[in-house]
Amino acid sequence: MSGIGARWRRAGLIAVALLLDACAGHTGLGGQGGDGDIHAFPDNYKSDILAAMHAYLNDPTGIRDAAVSPPALKDVPNEGNRYVVCLRFNGKQSNGAYAGDQQIAAVFLAGRFDDFVDAKTAREPCAGAAYAPFPELEQLKR
């Protein structure tokens, strides 16, 4: 009887250890997890940005002068090192008038879009960014 009880206790301890490991953000079963994949390269950054811009902009149509930088690992205030993609564009305000040139940064976490940061916060991570035309942004529809 004590052999069966010892096995159950051991099984219980292993289960508790696995649960605690999972809560700590690790995949103790050989998978990737923890901090290792936070800096994964955002392979689909353009399509992720296009999808997010629908929610970010009041009117995503008629964008002018859109430009994008390639992803670069940068220090983002209050975030740490993240892949950042810088954007410049002239979008419409809620009244339909153009707002003028805007600069924002798309921040990626674990290879996926996480958030946009505004021009003031994006100034440092986007300093010296090499921009290329981003015609896909100019072709957004509602």
Side-chain angles (χ1 to χ4, degrees):
M1 188 97 129
S2 65
I4 293 173
R7 282 188 220 146
W8 279 109
R9 278 194 299 276
R10 190 174 359 186
L13 288 173
I14 291 171
V16 169
L18 287 173
L19 285 172
L20 290 173
D21 192 45
C23 289
H26 302 287
T27 59
L29 300 174
Q32 293 180 354
D35 293 339
D37 60 354
I38 287 176
H39 299 109
F41 186 84
D43 290 320
N44 301 314
Y45 68 95
K46 284 186 178 181
S47 59
D48 286 355
I49 289 170
L50 292 172
M53 288 298 275
H54 279 285
Y56 182 76
L57 297 171
N58 289 330
D59 184 357
T61 64
I63 293 173
R64 298 178 180 168
D65 306 320
V68 63
S69 73
L73 201 54
K74 302 275 185 146
D75 183 44
V76 178
N78 302 321
E79 301 274 341
N81 281 334
R82 300 283 187 266
Y83 271 102
V84 173
V85 175
C86 299
L87 300 165
R88 281 193 320 219
F89 61 93
N90 187 354
K92 293 180 183 176
Q93 298 174 359
S94 57
N95 65 4
Y98 281 92
D101 288 334
Q102 299 176 46
Q103 180 179 0
I104 61 174
V107 178
F108 290 80
L109 179 64
R112 300 191 147 218
F113 173 78
D114 184 48
D115 198 8
F116 286 118
V117 294
D118 64 15
K120 194 178 279 185
T121 307
R123 190 167 291 137
E124 187 173 325
C126 291
Y131 288 94
F134 193 18
E136 299 92 336
L137 185 58
E138 295 175 358
Q139 297 166 2
L140 281 182
K141 307 249 185 276
R142 282 191 191 257

